[in-house]
Amino acid sequence: MSSRRLTAIAGSLVTATFSAVMMLPPTAAADDQGPGSGKGGKAVDEAPAGVRLTTLLPEKISVDNSSRKTAITATVKNEGSRESGDLRLLVVGFDGLKVTGVKGCSVIAEKDLPAGSNSGFNCPVGKLAAGSSKSYAVDATYDLRKAGKICLPVQGEDGKKTFWQQGPVPFGTVNPSPNAPATPLLLGTDNKPVAPGGDELPRTGVGRDVLPLGATGAALIAAGAAGLWWARRQPRPARERG
């Protein structure tokens, strides 16, 4: 199958590693986001023995109807019994959801984004101890006239293996609120756009994706430190975690 390259992301970033969920600024860890969910996630490449990686996204977010801004907490967890090797997390936006910033992460240039996406950031996670997690404050905008999705692949530091991938999973509402100050969106929900004729947009619910990282389990793969590759390939049988 064909692959689409992502060039190397230069520069080293210093991030703090915690044995518990990292505290986030209020703008990105708002109380109304609800508990985290692994909805739309699947294992791709087999993780090292004793390492079990997952990601979490909030069950709900809120989009400001004036600025179109929203905040999302993205969490990577090691639910296994052993420390992981060095990891990285990619945060990628699709369609109406555009990722504008992720604290402690580097932007992926527009020309290097995977097909179908509009934004992306590369986050160095480092090692995760057994039972620990690390969270990132994600700033984004959401064009409510469109559907919108986000994708969280977890890779080894060299990018050769993708151990876990959540998404592309949609945030959306079937009850748009154009005249309200904000519109609440739910994870795993197809968005019903505010604009007339929006019902003609492709639906993007979990299990209907046809994008490179959809239900077929195609992985984000890199070949060495020299570059990142976005590739489609068949993984081992997926096992869902909710």
Side-chain angles (χ1 to χ4, degrees), residues 75-115:
T75 301
V76 57
K77 298 180 65 178
N78 178 8
E79 298 180 342
S81 57
R82 294 185 181 180
E83 181 181 75
S84 72
D86 287 323
L87 303 171
R88 68 181 173 198
L89 172 73
L90 301 185
V91 183
V92 184
F94 292 82
D95 302 328
L97 192 158
K98 183 175 183 179
V99 181
T100 58
V102 185
K103 189 174 181 181
C105 305
S106 60
V107 65
I108 299 173
E110 183 177 355
K111 65 183 179 65
D112 299 322
L113 290 171

Side-chain angles (χ1 to χ4, degrees), residues 167-190:
V169 62
F171 276 103
T173 179
V174 294
N175 237 341
S177 309
N179 298 320
T183 297
L185 303 181
L186 298 178
L187 182 67
T189 300
D190 293 323

Side-chain angles (χ1 to χ4, degrees), residues 113-135:
L113 290 171
S117 69
N118 57 41
S119 54
F121 283 77
N122 176 51
C123 304
V125 176
K127 295 179 174 65
L128 279 181
S132 71
S133 62
K134 187 171 183 180
S135 295

Side-chain angles (χ1 to χ4, degrees), residues 7 10-11 25 27 30-31 63 68 88 93 101-102 106 112 119 136-137 148 177 193 205 215 218 227 232 236:
T7 58
T27 55
D31 292 338
V63 177
R68 296 184 177 178
R88 68 181 173 198
V102 185
S106 60
D112 299 322
S119 54
Y136 292 86
S177 309
R232 297 184 63 184
R236 63 188 178 81

Side-chain angles (χ1 to χ4, degrees), residues 48-91:
V51 176
R52 185 170 178 261
L53 298 167
T54 61
T55 54
L56 298 174
L57 287 165
E59 291 187 348
K60 57 183 178 179
I61 60 174
S62 182
V63 177
D64 185 291
N65 286 337
S66 297
S67 66
R68 296 184 177 178
K69 292 181 179 180
T70 188
I72 301 169
T73 302
T75 301
V76 57
K77 298 180 65 178
N78 178 8
E79 298 180 342
S81 57
R82 294 185 181 180
E83 181 181 75
S84 72
D86 287 323
L87 303 171
R88 68 181 173 198
L89 172 73
L90 301 185
V91 183

Side-chain angles (χ1 to χ4, degrees), residues 32-54:
D32 65 355
Q33 288 197 351
S37 171
K39 184 177 293 185
K42 57 262 182 187
V44 183
D45 293 307
E46 186 173 3
V51 176
R52 185 170 178 261
L53 298 167
T54 61

